[in-house]
Amino acid sequence: MRLDGKVAVITGGGSGIGAATARTFAREGARVVIADIDEKSGDAVAEEIAAAGGTVDFRPCDASRPEEIEALIAFAVDTHGTLDVLHNNHVSFESGRVGDLSLDGFRRSLDASLTAYWYAIKCALVPMVAQGRGSIVNTASVSGLAGDYGLGAYNVLKAGIVNLSRVTGIEYARKGVRCNAVCPGPIGTPPIERLHDAAPQIWTDIREAIPMGRYGLAQEIANVVLFLASDESSFVTGSHVVADGGLHAHSGMPPIGGLGPDF
Ligand SMILES: NC(=O)c1ccc[n+]([C@@H]2O[C@H](COP(=O)([O-])OP(=O)(O)OC[C@H]3O[C@@H](n4cnc5c(N)ncnc54)[C@H](O)[C@@H]3O)[C@@H](O)[C@H]2O)c1
């Protein structure tokens, strides 16, 4: 098993990519602590993992609150005596054009989903540096590598996560702690399922913009997170892995002379 006996904390582990990562980590032998603001979904994922024989705890946690992050990391260390993996993964943000975002909404977006990642890293570094090993994996996005219409706050916070991963990676490289980001493209998780129901044409347009012609699966991102969390990526730090069906490789130019993705 690729994470045998390792202790892993996952924020936003009650749904989508975080839940897929929690299941994957547990299957690979990790002792998993799921943190989520949504108690019902976090509990349900934990119960499912436990029923399958995994070692798991669910901690209700609003990761935008520093004291709750402190309690989360303390719980993992107190319960299991160590912390090997932190997967920062939750998100909440305000949508809208740059000129239309509210000051409060912009600040809350960065606070809840960028500052919170940094604070969880700061807390996790204490046990990780003390034991001379650890792996931190942050969920960024292809939206952290380029701009999207109407997602300004999200673009800024995800770009911040990419560079937070770089600076953490270089600063702690000689302490045995690695830090990387995963940059998913559009993945078929609950927010995208809701988009499918609320705006089916936009859902189809996004799918068609992906060179592979489909949405990714949460499991396909969990596979990347597993690689980055495990010792298989032992020489990878300060980096980001794009998993997006080819979306970010496209310049955005429409096909010329009918030479599109279908042939
Ligand atoms: N789905 C995509 O297309 C996609 C693409 C790129 C990046 N991502 C990123 O992947 C991550 C997971 O997204 P998802 O699609 O699985 O979403 P999701 O909504 O299925 O899961 C997110 C989870 O985070 C939890 N959460 C939100 N705010 C929280 C807080 N303050 N404290 C603790 N938990 C909180 C939610 O309750 C939810 O369970 C996010 O960082 C998102 O930006 C998703």
Side-chain angles (χ1 to χ4, degrees), residues 94-103 106 148-153 155-156:
E94 185 178 270
S95 301
R97 286 203 181 93
V98 168
D100 299 330
L101 292 167
S102 68
L103 180 59
F106 190 80
D148 304 298
Y149 296 98
L151 290 179
N155 291 139
V156 171

Side-chain angles (χ1 to χ4, degrees), residues 16-18 21 87-89 91 117 137-146 148 151 154-155 158 161-162 180-189 192 206 210 214-225 228 240-248:
I17 290 168
T21 301
H87 181 205
N88 273 320
N89 170 75
V91 76
Y117 277 36
V137 185
N138 298 314
T139 305
S141 171
V142 287
S143 299
L145 306 174
D148 304 298
L151 290 179
Y154 187 70
N155 291 139
K158 289 300 186 184
I161 291 168
V162 171
N180 294 287
V182 58
C183 292
I187 307 300
T189 58
I192 296 286
I206 293 172
I210 301 167
R214 67 170 178 88
Y215 282 85
L217 303 171
Q219 184 62 53
E220 291 177 303
I221 304 307
N223 294 342
V224 177
V225 178
L228 293 173
H240 63 272
V241 177
V242 175
D244 68 344
L247 181 66
H248 189 65

Side-chain angles (χ1 to χ4, degrees), residues 4 6 24 37 42 55 60 64 70 72 86 92 101 134 136 177-178 180 201 204 238 243 252 260:
D4 205 12
K6 298 249 164 111
T24 303
I37 200 168
T55 304
S64 68
E70 288 165 19
L72 172 67
L86 168 66
S92 65
L101 292 167
I136 298 165
V177 180
R178 299 183 297 107
N180 294 287
Q201 189 57 52
T204 303

